[in-house]
Amino acid sequence: DQQVKQNSPSLSVQEGRISILNCDYTNSMFDYFLWYKKYPAEGPTFLISISSIKDKNEDGRFTVFLNKSAKHLSLHIVPSQPGDSAVYFCAAKGSAGNNLFFGTGTRLTVIP
Amino acid sequence: EPEVTQTPSHQVTQMGQEVILRCVPISNHLYFYWYRQILGQKVEFLVSFYNNEISEKSEIFDDQFSVERPDGSNFTLKIRSTKLEDSAMYFCASSGKTFTYNEQFFGPGTRLTVL
């Protein structure tokens, strides 16, 4: 079951630069997408989300872009800070159910 | 800020034993979930619970698993006869006041180790 994919297991970025995390999905019935951040030994922390009726949602340093035709979404973090270093999970939800389908995560390291 | 709490943080058990994992969702949330993450794998949905009954479950959630909301604040996951492959992090989550909630808020997890 690979309905949500994060093809980059890791990403390193200099402090102050932009971090771009990518996510692809295969199920066209997904209508809501979320990004979670996870530190070791903690649960996923909700960051930002986007409905399929939008193509962009912004919250402070975090912006999520959705390209429905390409079934692709991305999370931009600007400027990146060392405290952003964590594993980032993309998740998707269909209109018919409540369960979230998660990607495998991308480990972001922000270098001071 | 309200948060989901889970106990215990780590549970070690022998294969074949029963375990109960406990969660206190965010108060006034209406939807409750269990997910698990086997080491090195993705977070997987197990079950969702609404209005005192299961609303959805995955194929992982077989007859060995059950959920309960015994007292209006706790939400529990019981595994009747644990197997080695049940070893994982188990996350509880809650959401919503309305049916259109979407954001699920997760607890810190319980690490279950089956020996």
Side-chain angles (χ1 to χ4, degrees):
Chain A
D1 177 1
Q2 291 286 319
Q3 296 195 60
V4 180
K5 301 179 204 178
Q6 292 176 258
N7 292 318
S8 298
S10 63
L11 174 68
S12 289
V13 171
Q14 287 289 133
E15 180 178 4
R17 306 295 287 267
I18 184 171
S19 296
I20 301 176
L21 297 111
N22 294 303
C23 177
D24 297 292
Y25 62 96
T26 56
N27 190 339
S28 57
M29 299 304 291
F30 288 149
D31 67 350
Y32 204 84
F33 304 89
L34 307 91
W35 283 95
Y36 285 86
K37 172 178 170 181
K38 187 178 181 305
Y39 294 114
E42 294 185 14
T45 300
F46 170 72
L47 266 181
I48 192 169
S49 59
I50 188 166
S51 164
S52 60
I53 62 173
K54 296 185 175 182
D55 54 18
K56 178 181 174 181
N57 188 28
E58 192 171 352
D59 183 2
R61 296 185 298 114
F62 301 92
T63 303
V64 56
F65 294 92
L66 175 62
N67 182 334
K68 279 178 296 189
S69 61
K71 294 192 178 68
H72 176 85
L73 63 155
S74 60
L75 174 69
H76 292 207
I77 306 173
V78 182
S80 301
Q81 300 172 352
D84 297 329
S85 297
V87 178
Y88 288 77
F89 291 97
C90 165
K93 176 187 160 312
S95 57
N98 299 339
N99 52 309
L100 296 179
F101 294 85
F102 280 84
T104 49
T106 297
R107 180 177 302 279
L108 173 66
T109 302
V110 179
I111 303 163
Chain B
E1 186 174 325
E3 58 183 18
V4 176
T5 59
Q6 290 185 244
T7 54
S9 57
H10 192 187
Q11 174 87 51
V12 181
T13 190
Q14 295 290 324
M15 189 170 58
Q17 296 296 303
E18 174 183 287
V19 294
I20 298 176
L21 310 183
R22 291 182 167 80
C23 168
V24 178
I26 294 172
S27 65
N28 77 15
H29 275 187
L30 299 177
Y31 295 83
F32 315 111
Y33 312 85
W34 285 101
Y35 290 80
R36 79 173 185 190
Q37 185 180 27
I38 294 171
L39 187 65
Q41 299 185 21
K42 57 175 66 178
V43 176
E44 300 173 288
F45 169 77
L46 293 179
V47 65
S48 62
F49 193 86
Y50 170 71
N51 201 25
N52 286 318
E53 60 183 22
I54 290 173
S55 51
E56 282 180 84
K57 60 182 181 178
S58 71
E59 56 192 29
I60 302 168
F61 194 87
D62 62 22
D63 292 344
Q64 293 298 312
F65 292 87
S66 62
V67 289
E68 197 177 32
R69 188 158 162 77
D71 57 14
S73 62
N74 289 284
F75 180 51
T76 62
L77 174 69
K78 182 193 289 187
I79 310 175
R80 267 180 265 282
S81 177
T82 50
K83 304 189 283 280
L84 294 176
E85 54 265 38
D86 293 327
S87 295
M89 283 291 291
Y90 287 80
F91 296 106
C92 174
S94 69
S95 69
K97 272 188 170 184
T98 70
F99 186 73
T100 55
Y101 77 5
N102 275 307
E103 287 81 18
Q104 297 178 20
F105 295 88
F106 285 76
T110 293
R111 179 173 299 283
L112 177 63
T113 302
V114 182
L115 302 176

